[in-house]
Amino acid sequence: VVTTYCPANNEPIASVRQGNLEDYEETVKKAKEAWKVWADIPAPKRGEIVRQIGDALRQKIKVLGSLVSLEMGKIFVEGVGEVQEYVDVCDYAVGLSRMIGGPILPSERPGHALIEQWNPVGLVGVITAFNFPVAVYGWNSAIAMICGNVCLWKGAPTTSLVSVAVTKIISKVLEDNKLPGAICSLVCGGADIGTAMARDERMDLLSFTGSTKVGKQVALMVQERFGECVVTCSCFNFLKVFEDADLNLVIPSALFAAVGTAGQRCTTARRLFLHESIHDEVVAKLAKAYAQVRIGDPWDSDTLYGPLHTKEAVKMFLDAVEQAKQQGGSVVCGGKVINRPGNYVEPTIVTGLPHNAPIVHTETFAPISYVLKFKEEEEVFAWNNEVKQGLSSSIFTKDLGRIFRWLGPKGSDCGIVNVNIPTSGAEIGGAFGGEKHTGGGRESGSDSWKLYMRRST
């Protein structure tokens, strides 16, 4: 039995009984049986079921958003926004259910047809992290379902209540349509369940979101059995501001990118590169903006900044700030724990470190911005690409030539490349994911649906 705690006060909310390996085995068998029913349903009809799931989530969007705030700790508007992402990807999947297909190609043999036929892979396992306990499952499940797959979800143990609530909403829709609830199965559990999913040959595709360390272990286990996986791991995102940038865009963007979700987004800006000519001005304006951030209970609609998810995250924050100081950094603002119940820390700006300082290359899932100076475009593009991760990046400039160099082959090597907008945030219509140690997988829009299907020529 695992107790789930509220990050805003560290008070227990509820106890959740975790599944063991016997429960997992039973669940996989039921999901496989449910696939036999689901695969026979025409894709547009599957889309209709996904549409109903989107509508059911719409009806519960505020209460589910509140639960995300209560259990994960992100502010209410972000909790609701995360559920909205699932709703939006359901809408996207409904249209996709009438569009997926392969080409009929000219055959070189008389009287023959050459067809690329797309079929579902079968059972899709989805392992998600605490920071987006609804949306990431939604990106995977809505697309996987219209492709004809069934899903087995393992959410983060610290957000089990959200996982249970979402699954209950989905299962009611399925059962109201006389379909087995096991089409979207859930096992609450820890590393033993995750390992079982990675090693299970019945798991036709495994989607993993989490740390690079665990992602590498998962990918190796899946590859060992020649399985398929979509991996989205740790990331270290960058925001670069050139001398011609519009600072009216830069300040709120940098603030949101670094401080939103208390620095716990996979797209949070960890490094802020400023051209030396504007460095001092931007740092002063940012420090002033940081001081105005409204801190409070995440479910209070007036709050802009809530707690870190766990006590362990607070310790990691303090350790990172101390390392930054030891390596020559200066704390411009923040750097301390806030004296109130819960896991609250001050949004922090650190200046004076070189681009290759060890802490600058270490991801800390907390609201710490390392502000660095640069002189030339070529060097800052190189610094952007020198870290092992590659999820999201952004530049602020009015120079069209620089923008297209940034988007081109010698520009950003990240999966998400932004211009004059923050690193954080993405649209469900585009493929979401990153390069290098971020994993290389893609979820949600564009042609990501192909990952959830197998092609027969």
Side-chain angles (χ1 to χ4, degrees), residues 132-389:
F132 279 85
V134 177
V136 174
Y137 177 65
W139 297 346
N140 283 275
S141 64
I143 305 297
M145 287 179 73
I146 62 98
C147 290
N149 302 298
V150 296
C151 296
L152 175 59
W153 181 19
K154 189 194 93 66
T158 54
T159 53
S160 293
L161 295 177
V162 172
S163 302
V164 170
V166 170
T167 300
K168 283 182 176 289
I169 291 169
I170 297 169
S171 63
K172 184 176 189 308
V173 171
L174 291 168
E175 288 160 7
D176 285 350
N177 282 274
K178 306 293 190 290
L179 291 165
I183 288 168
C184 287
S185 296
L186 171 73
V187 177
C188 292
D192 57 336
I193 301 298
T195 300
M197 292 172 72
R199 289 182 172 156
D200 195 340
E201 292 195 351
R202 297 167 298 178
M203 200 67 57
D204 300 292
L205 173 71
L206 184 63
S207 173
F208 170 85
T209 302
S211 71
T212 294
K213 180 184 176 183
V214 178
K216 187 180 290 187
Q217 295 169 352
V218 167
L220 286 171
M221 284 186 277
V222 174
Q223 183 58 46
E224 195 172 42
R225 60 177 176 84
F226 287 104
E228 299 289 333
C229 63
V230 180
V231 180
T232 304
C233 299
S234 299
C235 18
F236 208 84
N237 309 301
F238 332 92
L239 193 151
K240 286 148 287 297
V241 183
F242 286 86
E243 66 275 16
D244 64 341
D246 181 348
L247 297 189
N248 291 322
L249 289 176
V250 169
I251 302 306
S253 295
L255 177 72
F256 176 67
V259 172
T261 324
Q264 297 170 112
R265 286 174 174 252
C266 49
T267 50
T268 292
R270 312 285 176 198
R271 300 195 294 173
L272 177 57
F273 292 107
L274 302 176
H275 189 269
E276 60 183 10
S277 64
I278 57 168
H279 175 275
D280 294 351
E281 179 186 1
V282 172
V283 169
K285 288 185 175 182
L286 265 181
K288 186 177 179 182
Y290 271 45
Q292 296 172 4
V293 172
R294 296 192 300 275
I295 299 169
D297 290 332
W299 50 83
D300 185 335
S301 60
D302 198 44
T303 299
L304 291 177
Y305 175 89
L308 293 177
H309 185 53
T310 61
K311 293 178 181 178
E312 290 75 17
V314 175
K315 184 180 184 302
M316 285 191 292
F317 165 83
L318 291 172
D319 288 347
V321 171
E322 189 57 37
Q323 287 181 53
K325 290 177 182 176
Q326 290 173 3
Q327 292 169 27
S330 300
V331 176
V332 173
C333 65
K336 301 185 187 71
V337 173
I338 297 172
N339 185 21
R340 57 175 293 159
N343 306 318
Y344 288 86
V345 300
E346 295 174 344
T348 302
I349 296 173
V350 177
T351 61
L353 287 165
H355 69 95
N356 55 357
I359 191 63
V360 172
H361 285 231
T362 304
E363 184 185 37
T364 305
F365 234 51
I368 305 173
S369 283
Y370 303 110
V371 180
L372 312 158
K373 285 182 184 179
F374 74 92
K375 291 182 179 180
E376 304 292 339
E377 173 189 305
E378 190 173 327
E379 70 177 355
V380 78
F381 281 13
W383 293 348
N384 179 90
N385 298 342
E386 72 183 356
V387 299
K388 292 180 178 180
Q389 301 88 353

Side-chain angles (χ1 to χ4, degrees), residues 55-65 83 169:
D55 279 350
L57 289 164
R58 275 188 183 92
Q59 292 167 16
K60 295 281 200 305
I61 194 165
K62 288 189 176 179
V63 68
L64 193 52
V83 182
I169 291 169

Side-chain angles (χ1 to χ4, degrees), residues 101-105 113-121 449-450 453-457:
I104 299 174
L105 302 162
L114 183 59
I115 299 169
E116 286 190 348
Q117 170 77 31
W118 290 89
N119 290 305
V121 294
W449 62 269
K450 292 180 179 178
M453 305 195 83
R454 56 179 178 82
R455 174 163 39 187
S456 304
T457 302

Side-chain angles (χ1 to χ4, degrees), residues 77-142:
V77 68
E78 289 185 349
V80 171
E82 187 179 339
V83 182
Q84 184 65 51
E85 279 194 46
Y86 195 167
V87 171
D88 290 344
V89 83
C90 285
D91 288 347
Y92 178 88
V94 173
L96 192 61
S97 70
R98 293 182 178 271
M99 295 168 63
I100 54 173
I104 299 174
L105 302 162
S107 174
E108 64 188 35
R109 294 170 290 179
H112 286 68
L114 183 59
I115 299 169
E116 286 190 348
Q117 170 77 31
W118 290 89
N119 290 305
V121 294
L123 174 59
V124 174
V126 185
I127 299 176
T128 60
F130 75 87
N131 60 331
F132 279 85
V134 177
V136 174
Y137 177 65
W139 297 346
N140 283 275
S141 64

